[in-house]
Amino acid sequence: MATLQPVRKAADRNTVITEIEQAEGYIASICFKTGPPASVGVELEFTVHDRRDPSAFLDRDRLCQALGEHAPTTLRADSPALPLRHGGSVTLEPGGQVEISSRPHASLAELHAAVGAEIEQLTALLATAGLVLGDTGVDPHRVPRRLISTPRYDAMEAAFDRRGVSGKIMMCSTAGLQVCLDAGPGPELAARWAAVNALGPPLLALFANSGRFAGRDTGWASARQQAWRGIDPSRTRPVPTDADPAQAWARYVLDAALLCVRRPGGEWDTPHGVTFAAWIRGALGSRPTFADLDYHISTLFPPVRPRGYLEIRYLDTQPGRGWFAPAALLTALLADAPTVACVLELCAPAVGRWVEAARDGLADPVLAGVAPALRELALGRLDLPPELLDDVIEGSTRNE
């Protein structure tokens, strides 16, 4: 790969990209903000159901009424979209799944208090309309049906439909738990990047809870992850964990097919199979800008996505306070270089076992050995009050 180019300034977002090397350098310069780990955040998605009939489809007006001034503008264009009481934002996925995106917090204890309060607030808002939050990674009651219509979601559905039903299931029926951690010190980045990806299969297996979808048993421990596997692999496969994570991510981004191209007042659909690199080379006539590149990156969904920080995306959402256990385990397992080295050693037998984790969960003998060992390693490094430690133990032993 050629020498990386300088970071683009905010004022340059509308600059046209004419060379692959410009895009490579820009991606590599923004994907990891290195420094000592100092904060943790979560993004929690939930399906939403009628309290009395969870198989009933959501009504848009009813959901809008429940969320009130916290409703996102995709649901109500004139909404003030107010944050929740601790600064977390509320957004909606295409099928009406509600998402809380927390602010970053300096400690697990602060995160637990803030997010717990925001879940209570959201639960109370929904209760005013007779609605409740789901507690698994896929909708166990309903077939997928889209509630939110935007040019992005229209183009996304059209692109995913070329490969079958998995895309619509992902868009409208899945609910994930994302943990967001700092990238860490520069000299430790490659090892941390390898570790956070290696943790994927055992932690996916440990927290898989979405075997039932749309009224039937799928035969998978995580039907959510099954759906993600059925989508365009150029945007969902793991990013390689080689010695230079930034350049590996740059290659991944440029080799991924376009999901959509933003157009004022028109459809955002794109020809099938055109990559961002091909767009730079003139495949669509005009060439993209750095703003287009930023948007393209937002349409990529690997199990771990670098966004300056590490966005860990491979977990099913959890019931009740269960979200805290995976957040705490991941924070502890990536806390320092010696722990990361232990993680890499423990995970070695399970590296790449994504299918086994999603299909078999802890019934896979390799993952059944690795996951508890990782939990014990994490528990030995967590400094939490007893009641929070109890939440971690309860949440991480639910499937055993």
Side-chain angles (χ1 to χ4, degrees):
M1 186 174 292
T3 302
L4 301 182
Q5 300 297 312
V7 180
R8 306 301 302 185
K9 297 179 181 178
D12 295 330
R13 292 187 76 243
N14 292 324
T15 299
V16 173
I17 304 171
T18 59
E19 302 291 338
I20 296 293
E21 291 78 12
Q22 291 175 287
E24 290 173 339
Y26 175 73
I27 296 163
S29 69
I30 65 170
C31 58
F32 296 108
K33 297 177 182 176
T34 56
S39 59
V40 56
V42 292
E43 299 177 23
L44 308 177
E45 297 171 352
F46 303 95
T47 55
V48 179
H49 304 269
D50 180 271
R51 182 178 61 243
R52 293 177 178 167
D53 181 8
S55 64
F57 285 105
L58 276 178
D59 177 78
R60 183 186 176 100
D61 291 339
R62 186 179 178 189
L63 182 59
C64 186
Q65 177 187 358
L67 294 176
E69 293 187 329
H70 303 284
T73 55
T74 54
L75 186 64
R76 195 185 103 204
D78 64 345
S79 172
L82 298 180
L84 297 173
R85 61 178 57 135
H86 289 280
S89 62
V90 176
T91 54
L92 291 177
E93 296 300 312
Q97 308 97 305
V98 65
E99 178 177 352
I100 298 174
S101 298
S102 81
R103 293 175 48 246
H105 292 274
S107 72
L108 285 168
E110 289 182 14
L111 180 74
H112 184 276
V115 174
E118 292 185 333
I119 292 175
E120 289 179 1
Q121 182 182 4
L122 179 61
T123 299
L125 289 169
L126 294 174
T128 63
L131 300 173
V132 295
L133 296 173
D135 58 8
T136 61
V138 77
D139 191 329
H141 305 289
R142 301 169 299 205
V143 297
R145 189 172 79 170
R146 191 143 63 96
L147 188 75
I148 305 298
S149 181
T150 66
R152 174 187 173 104
Y153 290 158
D154 293 345
M156 181 182 290
E157 184 171 340
F160 289 159
D161 279 352
R162 298 186 186 115
R163 297 182 62 90
V165 300
S166 292
K168 188 170 290 185
I169 294 171
M170 180 279 289
M171 291 176 65
C172 300
S173 302
T174 62
L177 189 168
Q178 299 169 22
V179 180
C180 303
L181 296 170
D182 292 324
E188 300 173 15
L189 178 60
R192 284 173 62 83
W193 178 246
V196 75
N197 280 277
L199 284 165
L203 292 189
L204 167 59
L206 188 63
F207 293 104
N209 68 7
S210 55
R212 191 165 181 80
F213 166 61
R216 64 181 179 86
D217 185 354
T218 65
W220 285 63
S222 175
R224 171 184 170 272
Q225 194 66 20
Q226 180 191 25
W228 279 100
R229 288 194 60 80
I231 302 168
D232 170 18
S234 78
R235 65 185 358 92
T236 61
R237 62 181 170 82
V239 182
T241 54
D242 58 22
D244 191 335
Q247 289 199 346
W249 175 236
R251 289 192 295 268
Y252 185 106
V253 170
L254 295 178
D255 289 343
L258 296 172
L259 187 64
C260 56
V261 172
R262 295 172 298 166
R263 302 179 182 92
E267 295 182 350
W268 291 14
D269 294 3
T270 59
H272 179 56
V274 175
T275 67
F276 199 91
W279 190 9
I280 294 173
R281 296 185 181 107
L284 299 182
S286 62
R287 286 177 167 79
T289 65
F290 286 97
D292 292 321
L293 179 52
D294 288 335
Y295 198 84
H296 172 66
I297 290 172
S298 79
T299 71
L300 306 181
F301 313 110
V304 185
R305 181 166 63 176
R307 300 185 63 186
Y309 54 90
L310 306 175
E311 182 186 74
I312 300 160
R313 305 176 51 86
Y314 43 66
L315 298 164
D316 287 353
T317 206
Q318 300 294 297
R321 298 192 304 266
W323 66 270
F324 185 64
L329 294 188
L330 280 161
T331 302
L333 291 170
L334 296 168
D336 53 48
T339 305
V340 165
C342 291
V343 165
L344 289 170
E345 183 177 354
L346 288 173
C347 287
V351 168
R353 296 182 76 82
W354 292 99
V355 174
E356 293 85 351
R359 184 187 60 218
D360 305 323
L362 293 179
D364 178 82
V366 174
L367 297 168
V370 172
L374 290 168
R375 181 179 59 230
E376 293 310 307
L377 175 64
L379 290 174
R381 284 158 168 75
L382 282 171
D383 181 18
L384 291 171
E387 64 274 16
L388 298 193
L389 198 59
D390 286 345
D391 279 353
V392 177
I393 295 170
E394 179 184 349
S396 62
T397 56
R398 186 174 286 115
N399 288 341
E400 293 183 350

